[in-house]
Amino acid sequence: CCYILNSRQMGKSSLLLQTFHRLKQAGYRCVIIDLTAIGSEQVTPLQWYKGLVAQIYLELGLKDILKFRNWWNEQEDFSYLQRLSKFIEELLYVYFPTEKIFIFVDEIDTVLSLNFAVDDFFALIRYCQERRGINPAYQRITFTLAGVATPSDLIRDKKRTPFNIGQA
């Protein structure tokens, strides 16, 4: 996990895009999620998490392999975060069992405007990072966060472990 957190107009998205293209040329699976495309005004937790999973699904070209709507509906007994977690595990074990996957999340500060907490989303990223020591498959997934925020902005609940992973 790494993060590029800085003020506006400092080249964060350009750096992210350049890195994305270099990694794709090297043969890695890469996804760029611009959170402004998912939105922050009048967005429900369902729409946000489903939008996030759908973006990963589309960017990785899974539409010929997996029917997204069917998969999402089959997970109805799970929370939205559990669906995202299950989807990540399926990426690692089922759809890309040997490939490295890079997930770039741009405009991360968009989450600060949501009318619901997404602390669990950042806790899931931390979970994936911590799983690397237990499960080698998790060493194949890397998250990069970019936006106008500080690490302490990302998990708002002061009773939870802060977002203290990765490198700036």
Side-chain angles (χ1 to χ4, degrees):
C1 180
C2 73
Y3 52 87
I4 308 161
L5 304 175
N6 204 337
S7 57
R8 301 207 179 283
Q9 302 298 311
M10 297 301 291
K12 296 176 298 298
S13 295
S14 295
L15 177 62
L16 205 136
L17 193 58
Q18 289 174 26
T19 305
F20 170 84
H21 286 300
R22 285 184 185 154
L23 290 169
K24 284 216 39 130
Q25 285 179 334
Y28 298 113
R29 296 285 179 164
C30 300
V31 175
I32 291 183
I33 301 168
D34 185 330
L35 291 181
T36 57
I38 296 174
S40 62
E41 294 180 18
Q42 299 178 353
V43 175
T44 66
L46 168 63
Q47 292 168 325
W48 195 84
Y49 279 101
K50 190 174 184 180
L52 195 63
V53 174
Q55 191 67 36
I56 296 169
Y57 164 85
L58 290 171
E59 292 273 333
L60 289 176
L62 291 172
K63 64 182 176 181
D64 294 332
I65 301 169
L66 172 71
K67 300 296 180 212
F68 178 75
R69 188 179 306 254
N70 292 345
W71 181 90
W72 184 265
N73 291 336
E74 287 169 5
Q75 313 305 316
E76 68 183 337
D77 291 337
F78 297 100
S79 72
Y80 305 137
L81 183 76
Q82 286 175 306
R83 293 179 195 191
L84 174 58
S85 180
K86 285 176 59 83
F87 189 72
I88 289 169
E89 287 186 0
E90 288 184 23
L91 289 176
L92 293 174
Y93 296 118
V94 179
Y95 302 111
F96 307 107
T98 60
E99 296 178 67
K100 285 194 171 195
I101 302 168
F102 292 84
I103 299 176
F104 298 91
V105 185
D106 199 8
E107 302 295 342
I108 201 72
D109 46 293
T110 303
V111 302
L112 304 176
S113 300
L114 292 170
N115 62 3
F116 55 90
V118 289
D119 293 357
D120 286 342
F121 170 68
F122 296 107
L124 176 62
I125 293 173
R126 187 178 53 236
Y127 167 82
C128 289
Q129 182 74 13
E130 290 170 354
R131 294 292 296 173
R132 290 172 162 233
I134 300 166
N135 184 338
Y138 279 86
Q139 293 175 12
R140 295 186 296 103
I141 191 160
T142 300
F143 289 90
T144 299
L145 309 176
V148 181
T150 64
S152 62
D153 291 336
L154 301 180
I155 293 183
R156 296 181 197 167
D157 185 349
K158 301 302 176 201
K159 294 180 224 141
R160 295 184 78 163
T161 303
F163 191 79
N164 56 0
I165 61 166
Q167 292 184 315

